[in-house]
Amino acid sequence: MELRGDDVVLRPVADGEGEVLDRIVREPEVAAWWSPPEDFAGMLAIVFEGEVVGAIQFYEETDPEFHHAGIDVFLTARHQGKGLGTDAVRTLARWLVAERGHHRLTIDPAAANTAAIRSYRKVGFRPVGIMRAYGRDHRTGRWQDALLMDLLADELT
């Protein structure tokens, strides 16, 4: 599977790229919001100009009564603020709607992650509400709030 956005390509993480992604997820600007995963299997690499600059993943609720998908994404600090994360999320969202038949997508950034929230709004995600004490900060052990956001298929920009 390879998905092409305006500027990024999303594709399965290749052998050896886990080390690159592990370095990215440990950058202070990324580690503030992400815990290092055990492995990167199942994630899609975000590739910009031939370089792996982050990763994106999705999960699917397959119960027909609650069918939807969720997205998670991280991007190296030196490429944040350039629209690449927005492009990656939009590209995956379009595929989830067109190819996987989802009518609704969710994303749940930390409530304090204003840059991510701004990026997701550009794709069309809207705030649903605060999920209190939703995720544990792996650095401090404290629980932090998250903002649940969703996007209906016809709202995708």
Side-chain angles (χ1 to χ4, degrees):
M1 174 172 103
E2 183 175 283
L3 306 175
R4 294 193 169 274
D6 292 335
D7 296 308
V8 301
V9 173
L10 309 180
R11 58 155 175 78
V13 174
D15 289 339
E17 291 177 340
E19 293 175 10
V20 173
L21 293 171
D22 189 63
R23 280 194 302 274
I24 292 171
V25 83
R26 293 176 190 279
E27 293 174 2
E29 301 87 346
V30 180
W33 314 113
W34 268 79
S35 300
E38 290 183 26
D39 66 46
F40 296 93
M43 289 189 176
L44 300 173
I46 301 171
V47 181
F48 174 66
E49 296 181 346
E51 176 188 359
V52 174
V53 297
I56 192 166
Q57 65 184 2
F58 65 94
Y59 67 89
E60 295 178 283
E61 172 57 63
T62 57
D63 180 329
E65 292 184 29
F66 300 98
H67 191 239
H68 74 280
I71 297 174
D72 294 306
V73 60
F74 67 86
L75 198 64
T76 184
R78 68 188 168 79
H79 284 296
Q80 292 177 10
K82 299 177 180 179
L84 301 181
T86 303
D87 188 27
V89 171
R90 181 179 293 117
T91 300
L92 183 58
R94 286 179 175 156
W95 180 79
L96 288 166
V97 168
E99 300 299 322
R100 304 293 291 182
H102 291 288
H103 76 286
R104 181 175 170 270
L105 307 174
T106 63
I107 201 160
D108 55 4
N113 192 345
T114 56
I117 293 166
R118 187 171 45 253
S119 173
Y120 306 150
R121 283 181 183 270
K122 290 176 186 174
V123 177
F125 283 88
R126 296 180 185 181
V128 174
I130 295 292
M131 298 183 292
R132 299 177 301 145
Y134 179 70
R136 191 181 301 272
D137 183 323
H138 69 99
R139 299 160 308 147
T140 66
R142 291 187 175 147
W143 290 99
Q144 58 184 352
D145 295 346
L147 176 64
L148 177 61
M149 303 178 79
D150 73 359
L151 168 72
L152 299 180
D154 61 354
E155 299 167 342
L156 185 56
T157 61

